[in-house]
Amino acid sequence: MSEDSNEETAWSKLGQLKSLAAGAVLWSQEEPAGHGALLLSGLMGVEKVTDRGDRVVFTELAPGSLLGEMSCLDGRPHSATVKALTKSIIRIFTAAEFRAFLLGDSEMMWRLLLRQSERVRRLTDALLRIGTESVSRRLTYWLCEREGPVIAVTHQDLAAELATTRESITKALASLRRGGYLSVSRGRVEILDKLGLAELLANCE
């Protein structure tokens, strides 16, 4: 049996299955802690509203992603809003169930530590890009990191995620579209040449 199969079997003993319709909110920012979840199918979005009222979209989560684990461990309110971008199935569990699960399985505890380490690395890289890279380059990085060719996203959402203005995103998207790398329509971006986008990044090192 593979490591992935072993992990899947371990998670199957925790919590209960729950189905979410597209658009359903799993929990909201600052909602009291109490639950975590493992995404089994579908896509979930994570977003946060700043003190100034700006909405910042952090990321899209694919199956296998763990949600709310920080609140389960430290008891603090959820730091961001999590909602279903598509019809999704999760395995939801209480904080008490999660802690007992980890304390009873040292291998899963180690894997959780590795997940958190990788998350910190990604956030560090993202902060570096925001502080030092142009909007066009940040956008190209973001596009190269997407798993599928078709992305449901508005210019405003991209601006929030990449810490810039809607106008700057519109200009950067138009440039990539003219280069033949993208097709852009209302609320939708399709990557036509991902290899070309990667080469753009490599040539600008």
Side-chain angles (χ1 to χ4, degrees), residues 14-80:
L14 182 66
Q16 58 185 351
L17 295 177
K18 182 176 181 178
S19 179
L20 297 171
V25 173
L26 180 57
W27 52 66
S28 298
Q29 179 180 336
E30 300 304 330
E31 187 174 314
H35 290 84
L38 178 70
L39 179 58
L40 300 178
S41 66
L43 290 175
M44 305 288 288
V46 181
E47 60 185 51
K48 187 176 179 72
V49 177
T50 69
D51 293 338
R52 297 182 303 175
D54 299 321
R55 185 171 66 90
V56 179
V57 180
F58 282 107
T59 188
E60 289 184 4
L61 300 176
S65 298
L66 194 58
L67 316 170
E69 72 277 18
M70 290 190 297
S71 289
C72 283
L73 293 173
D74 63 22
R76 298 175 63 182
H78 291 292
S79 59

Side-chain angles (χ1 to χ4, degrees), residues 53-109:
D54 299 321
R55 185 171 66 90
V56 179
V57 180
F58 282 107
T59 188
E60 289 184 4
L61 300 176
S65 298
L66 194 58
L67 316 170
E69 72 277 18
M70 290 190 297
S71 289
C72 283
L73 293 173
D74 63 22
R76 298 175 63 182
H78 291 292
S79 59
T81 296
V82 178
K83 64 182 180 181
L85 301 178
T86 66
K87 181 179 179 181
S88 302
I89 298 176
I90 61 172
R91 181 167 289 280
I92 192 165
F93 44 81
T94 66
E97 288 174 328
F98 185 57
R99 289 193 291 268
F101 173 65
L102 293 178
L103 289 173
D105 192 327
S106 59
E107 176 63 23
M108 294 304 296
M109 175 75 82

